[in-house]
Amino acid sequence: MGKQVAFLVLGFFDSDRHGQVEVWYSGRREAIRLQDGRLIGAVGLATEWREVMLPDLPSWSVIAKSKEPLSWVRVRDVMPGYRYGVRDALVLRQIPAPEKSALLNIDPKELTWFEERIQTEPPTGGTAILSALTSKDRVLPPARYAVDFRDGYEFVVYGEQCLSVDFCFTWQRWHYHKTDQKP
């Protein structure tokens, strides 16, 4: 986060109806939950996503082969502020390797990159009223993911995510094996 670096340890694997969930811990008792590289929970941070509900999403390889961006909705509970059921209409698409990122010790061009951004169509009617209540959440910068597809596996090795407009972080796996990939 910014210039601060934290090393996290994989505490355990959990699961939900969408598959395997990795639970990572820092020495300061912060915890993040990742599923297929996507953040589905973060506690102990300045901004927390207590629970994130994702739909059934296709694999990264299916998304990479698609000619059209994938549209989907994420629902999350955010603290502080007791904002529950924040709905984000998202668009996910493959992008070229970025010129700048915090990725270390891996050539960005060896990975396949994706960008996930909130749709910005102006809401109308009753949705406009609800939108005003959560407008702080609707301006989140895009998230980016870098996926390694070598050797017939797909593994998210890097991500950039903002939990609020002013609280963003990057993460990177330093070491991973084909056996880390779920079957």
Side-chain angles (χ1 to χ4, degrees), residues 114-140:
F114 297 88
E115 179 185 75
E116 192 173 75
R117 68 174 53 241
I118 293 177
Q119 291 181 0
T120 57
E121 292 120 24
T124 60
T127 309
I129 294 168
L130 178 60
S131 173
L133 297 174
T134 59
S135 62
K136 178 180 178 184
D137 299 303
R138 297 196 180 277
V139 293
L140 293 177

Side-chain angles (χ1 to χ4, degrees), residues 4-166:
Q4 296 179 8
V5 175
F7 289 95
L8 286 85
V9 62
L10 179 60
F12 62 95
F13 291 101
D14 200 358
S15 63
D16 69 11
R17 66 184 186 97
H18 299 294
Q20 186 174 349
V21 176
E22 300 169 342
V23 181
W24 295 86
Y25 294 100
S26 77
R28 298 176 74 188
R29 297 185 181 165
E30 299 140 330
I32 63 171
R33 297 171 57 85
L34 297 175
Q35 188 169 52
D36 288 332
R38 288 189 179 84
L39 186 76
I40 63 165
V43 295
L45 303 170
T47 299
E48 297 181 346
W49 286 10
R50 296 280 176 98
E51 184 174 352
V52 178
M53 291 169 274
L54 305 177
D56 287 322
L57 294 169
S59 68
W60 291 103
S61 57
V62 168
I63 297 167
K65 293 174 187 171
S66 176
K67 294 186 183 345
E68 297 296 320
L70 173 68
S71 295
W72 60 286
V73 175
R74 170 181 64 206
V75 180
R76 58 194 167 93
D77 298 340
V78 182
M79 291 290 284
Y82 303 102
R83 294 183 312 276
Y84 293 94
V86 175
R87 297 176 61 82
D88 299 314
L90 298 164
V91 175
L92 177 66
R93 64 184 179 94
Q94 187 174 340
I95 60 171
E99 293 294 320
K100 290 186 179 186
S101 74
L103 182 70
L104 298 173
N105 302 322
I106 301 174
D107 181 356
K109 291 178 175 38
E110 291 180 5
L111 303 172
T112 303
W113 289 78
F114 297 88
E115 179 185 75
E116 192 173 75
R117 68 174 53 241
I118 293 177
Q119 291 181 0
T120 57
E121 292 120 24
T124 60
T127 309
I129 294 168
L130 178 60
S131 173
L133 297 174
T134 59
S135 62
K136 178 180 178 184
D137 299 303
R138 297 196 180 277
V139 293
L140 293 177
R144 291 194 301 191
Y145 307 95
V147 181
D148 186 345
F149 285 113
R150 291 179 290 185
D151 301 324
Y153 290 87
E154 60 182 64
F155 209 78
V156 183
V157 297
Y158 174 86
E160 299 173 1
Q161 182 86 48
C162 292
L163 301 182
S164 68
V165 177
D166 54 359

